[in-house]
Amino acid sequence: MATGRRSRIESLSNPLVKRMRLLREKRHRRAEGLFLAEGLRIATEAREAGVLPQWLFLAEEGAAHPLARALVEATLANGGEVIDTTPAILSKLSGKDNAQTIVGIYAEPKTALTDLDRTAAPIWLVAERLRDPGNLGTMLRTGDAVGAGGLILLDESTDPYAVEAVRASMGAIFTQSLVQARWDEFLPWLRSGPGELVATWLGDDTRDYQAVRYAAPTFILIGNESQGMPEDYAAAADVRVKMPMMGKADSLNAAVAAAVMAYEVLNQRRTR
C-alpha cells in the first residue's frame, strides 16, 4: 500500500471534519462503512491487533507520547492519513467536552457467521436483542478477558459501532470477532457443527450454573436486559442455567451475567 500523508486541520468547518463528525449517527456509519474510536489506549489496542485507522486525528499534547508516535508511523506506512488538529475539533468529532487527544476513524468489519471458526476458542458470547451500548462494550471486554472467540448479536441489538459501545469495549472491539445475525440464521449455523448452547433462564427447568459441566465450544446465550429471552430460544438451548439470587433482585445485569457465566466456563477448563 502507498505511504499515507500528514496534514493539519484547524477549522471546524473543514469538510472532512463535518463528514467524520456525522459518524456519531448510526445511519451515517452504515452509509460510510466507518466508525470512530477515541483514545490512545483503544487505538493502541487496535494497532496491536493489526487494525489501523484510515484517518488519525491527534492534538499536539498527545502526539509526543511514544505510543502515539508508533501509531502515527504505522498509520502512514499503511496508507492512512494523519491529521494534526485542535482539542476543539477532537471534541466536535467525539461529542465530548473533554475529548481524548486521539481519534481514529476505522473501517467497519463485515463478519458473517460463516466466517467464524468456532473451534478457535472454547467460549463464545451470544446476546439476544441487547439494547444498551455499555453492556455491549462490556461483553466484548469480558470476552477478551476470558479468551472468547467473539460476540454474536442476535436480532435487533444496539449498534456495536456506536461511540459509547466502542468506548466501553476498551479496545476489545478490535480483538473480538463480532457478528450480527438473526436467530433463524444463528441456530441452523450452530447446529451445523460442534457447540453447546447454554441459555441463562429463569424458568422451572433450569440447573444451577455451577452444577453443569460445559462442553467446548460453549455458546453462552444472554437475553434482553428487560424482557429476558423468548421462551422458544431458551427451549432450543442444550442446557438452561441460572445463578442464585440471595437478595431481592430477581436477575443480574446482562453484561454481569455474561461475565459470571464466562468465568465459570473458563474456571472449569482451568481446573480440569
Side-chain angles (χ1 to χ4, degrees):
M1 181 177 289
T3 302
R5 70 189 189 100
R6 190 163 188 170
S7 60
R8 182 166 188 85
I9 295 177
E10 296 183 348
S11 172
L12 291 170
S13 61
N14 180 275
L16 183 63
V17 173
K18 289 183 175 181
R19 177 186 167 197
M20 294 298 105
R21 69 184 291 270
L22 291 175
L23 295 178
R24 298 207 308 268
E25 300 176 23
K26 181 178 180 179
R27 64 188 180 96
H28 288 288
R29 287 194 295 273
R30 285 189 171 179
E32 294 271 12
L34 300 169
F35 70 98
L36 180 152
E38 56 175 326
L40 179 58
R41 175 177 175 175
I42 290 179
T44 298
E45 292 277 358
R47 177 178 64 82
E48 291 176 349
V51 183
L52 293 163
Q54 295 188 10
W55 289 273
L56 179 66
F57 293 81
L58 70 165
E60 183 178 356
E61 56 266 38
H65 195 285
L67 289 176
R69 291 200 299 269
L71 182 60
V72 166
E73 292 173 3
T75 300
L76 291 173
N78 196 53
E81 182 173 358
V82 175
I83 300 164
D84 297 295
T85 192
T86 66
I89 287 177
L90 292 176
S91 294
K92 181 69 71 174
L93 293 173
S94 68
K96 293 173 60 181
D97 291 335
N98 57 337
Q100 300 274 354
T101 58
I102 285 179
V103 170
I105 309 297
Y106 295 85
E108 180 180 319
K110 303 295 183 184
T111 307
L113 286 169
T114 53
D115 296 325
L116 299 180
D117 177 4
R118 68 180 74 203
T119 64
I123 301 171
W124 295 82
L125 300 181
V126 186
E128 188 266 329
R129 290 178 301 142
L130 194 67
R131 300 297 192 190
D132 183 80
N135 280 340
L136 194 159
T138 301
M139 283 191 186
L140 286 168
R141 191 177 179 186
T142 296
D144 181 87
V146 301
L151 172 63
I152 300 170
L153 296 172
L154 299 179
D155 304 330
E156 294 299 319
S157 292
T158 191
D159 184 5
Y161 299 104
V163 173
E164 298 82 2
V166 174
R167 185 183 299 141
S169 80
M170 296 298 289
I173 191 85
F174 298 106
T175 65
Q176 291 283 285
S177 294
L178 182 61
V179 173
Q180 301 177 74
R182 299 190 311 272
W183 171 255
D184 61 6
E185 296 170 326
F186 167 72
L187 192 59
W189 171 83
L190 178 69
R191 297 310 182 200
S192 69
E196 180 180 57
L197 184 61
V198 179
T200 54
W201 178 247
L202 296 177
D204 295 331
D205 61 341
T206 56
R207 301 171 63 186
D208 184 280
Y209 79 113
Q210 290 187 321
V212 176
R213 288 297 169 259
Y214 300 103
T218 308
F219 289 82
I220 301 169
L221 176 60
I222 304 293
N224 172 266
E225 291 98 334
S226 61
Q227 300 172 350
M229 73 182 68
E231 188 171 349
D232 57 331
Y233 288 29
D238 298 299
V239 61
R240 289 161 289 282
V241 298
K242 62 183 176 182
M243 287 151 269
M245 305 297 296
M246 310 305 290
K248 294 184 179 297
D250 61 1
S251 63
L252 291 174
N253 167 277
V256 173
V260 171
M261 283 297 307
Y263 269 98
E264 175 61 24
V265 176
L266 173 65
N267 285 333
Q268 285 190 17
R269 294 184 61 80
R270 293 171 66 210
T271 56
R272 282 177 186 169

